Amino acid sequence: MKSSVIIASILLECIAISIAGELPSFLKVCHRSDPKLNECVQDALEELRPHLVKGIPELDIPSCEPLELKEMVLDQGKGAVSLKSTYKNIKVYGSTKFQLRNIRIDIDKKRVRMKMRFPLLRMSSQYNMDGRILMMPIKGNGNSEGNYTGIEATITIQGEHIKRNGQIHFSVKDFDLKFSIGHATVYLDNLFNGDRELGEAMNAFLNENWDTVVMEVKPLLEKKIGEICKKYSNNIFHKYTFDQLLPP
């Protein structure tokens, strides 16, 4: 479920830096007047992929293998899943294996649409949760492991132009994410204060009903991740003027 965080994190950083000017020589620069702008940006992302493994310090891009996230809090207050959970020290493996299906950049409408796929993401974290899942009580804290395959994401970034220090910058107004997961397996240790029998039963229940659980929390995840991505993407976009990001 929380695997979709990486979708947003990778996408927003890649799209911002791959088209920017005054960057390291290994980054391909695309021009907004290019009739094949979409193809140019897609090629730039492919050329960038190998450098994401170790990260790009000069652009504040951390290592993506694994990608490390400090914390994520989910608070689902109603419905079949009523649960508050916190995940810390999140590590995501496989994020650089993303496949960019297509990208559409509309300069006039200040809009970017992307479709991406992650064949496999493996995640580990420390969790703390309390609540109910499909009427079943769940409570615990400890280590969590998850494998997520066939992740499909559709992202729409709606931007606007803002003026900073007398110069025009691109700024993300809305970051909309929709995703689906082909299959998921999870394991949470130390459930119910370490009761092994109850813990194993709940893990089996979660893996048997993972798709129903995902559908219940998906709107919250999509909204939460969109907010995170908007913040981080603007941290990058605001560093460069619009003409630097997409020169004429």
Side-chain angles (χ1 to χ4, degrees):
M1 291 175 285
K2 58 187 181 294
S3 62
S4 52
V5 173
I6 185 60
I7 298 174
S9 302
I10 288 291
L11 286 178
L12 63 92
E13 294 183 7
C14 289
I15 189 66
I17 63 179
S18 66
I19 58 180
E22 299 183 9
L23 297 175
S25 59
F26 57 79
L27 294 178
K28 182 178 181 179
V29 177
C30 298
H31 296 260
R32 62 179 182 262
S33 58
D34 188 344
K36 295 185 176 181
L37 176 60
N38 296 324
E39 292 85 346
C40 180
V41 172
Q42 187 160 344
D43 290 343
L45 287 172
E46 288 299 328
E47 292 181 15
L48 182 67
R49 184 197 305 275
H51 301 278
L52 293 174
V53 175
K54 293 184 178 180
I56 309 172
E58 57 266 50
L59 295 173
D60 297 322
I61 303 297
S63 169
C64 295
E65 286 295 346
L67 182 78
E68 299 185 4
L69 305 172
K70 290 184 178 180
E71 183 179 72
M72 185 174 183
V73 178
L74 298 177
D75 193 349
Q76 179 86 353
K78 58 183 179 179
V81 176
S82 178
L83 179 71
K84 183 170 183 179
S85 55
T86 301
Y87 304 90
K88 295 184 177 181
N89 301 320
I90 303 167
K91 293 185 178 181
V92 186
Y93 301 84
S95 61
T96 60
K97 304 297 183 181
F98 66 87
Q99 300 166 355
L100 183 58
R101 300 289 202 184
N102 63 64
I103 183 168
R104 295 291 181 267
I105 301 173
D106 191 320
I107 299 296
D108 295 332
K109 294 182 179 179
K110 307 176 186 67
R111 184 180 299 152
V112 179
R113 286 196 173 106
M114 294 177 285
K115 289 187 177 181
M116 297 189 76
R117 183 176 192 273
F118 290 85
L120 170 65
L121 293 178
R122 181 171 64 86
M123 299 186 60
S124 65
S125 70
Q126 295 172 334
Y127 81 94
N128 187 308
M129 66 174 57
D130 189 6
R132 289 180 174 272
I133 295 180
L134 306 181
M135 305 304 294
M136 297 285 290
I138 183 170
K139 185 174 184 178
N141 63 84
N143 297 319
S144 71
E145 296 284 343
N147 288 295
Y148 309 88
T149 59
I151 301 170
E152 303 280 351
T154 300
I155 293 175
T156 301
I157 300 173
Q158 180 59 56
E160 61 183 347
H161 288 166
I162 62 173
K163 185 173 285 188
R164 295 167 62 91
N165 300 320
Q167 295 183 311
I168 299 299
H169 291 254
F170 182 83
S171 184
V172 176
K173 184 178 180 181
D174 296 299
F175 195 109
D176 182 72
L177 167 68
K178 304 297 181 186
F179 73 90
S180 64
I181 299 175
H183 193 263
T185 58
V186 298
Y187 184 80
L188 307 174
D189 75 358
N190 200 43
L191 285 168
F192 306 109
N193 294 318
D195 187 311
R196 184 172 180 178
E197 185 174 349
L198 285 177
E200 292 296 334
M202 175 53 69
N203 275 297
F205 178 79
L206 289 174
N207 283 290
E208 290 170 1
N209 296 278
W210 70 268
D211 50 346
T212 303
V213 175
V214 168
M215 288 303 297
E216 286 291 326
V217 301
K218 197 160 77 78
L220 175 63
L221 276 171
E222 290 171 339
K223 180 180 178 181
K224 181 75 172 181
I225 295 165
E227 293 172 351
I228 294 173
C229 291
K230 178 180 176 179
K231 175 182 176 181
Y232 283 121
S233 57
N234 278 332
N235 286 344
I236 297 173
F237 283 128
H238 292 174
K239 289 181 181 180
Y240 304 97
T241 67
F242 179 64
D243 285 340
Q244 285 178 307
L245 284 170
L246 279 177

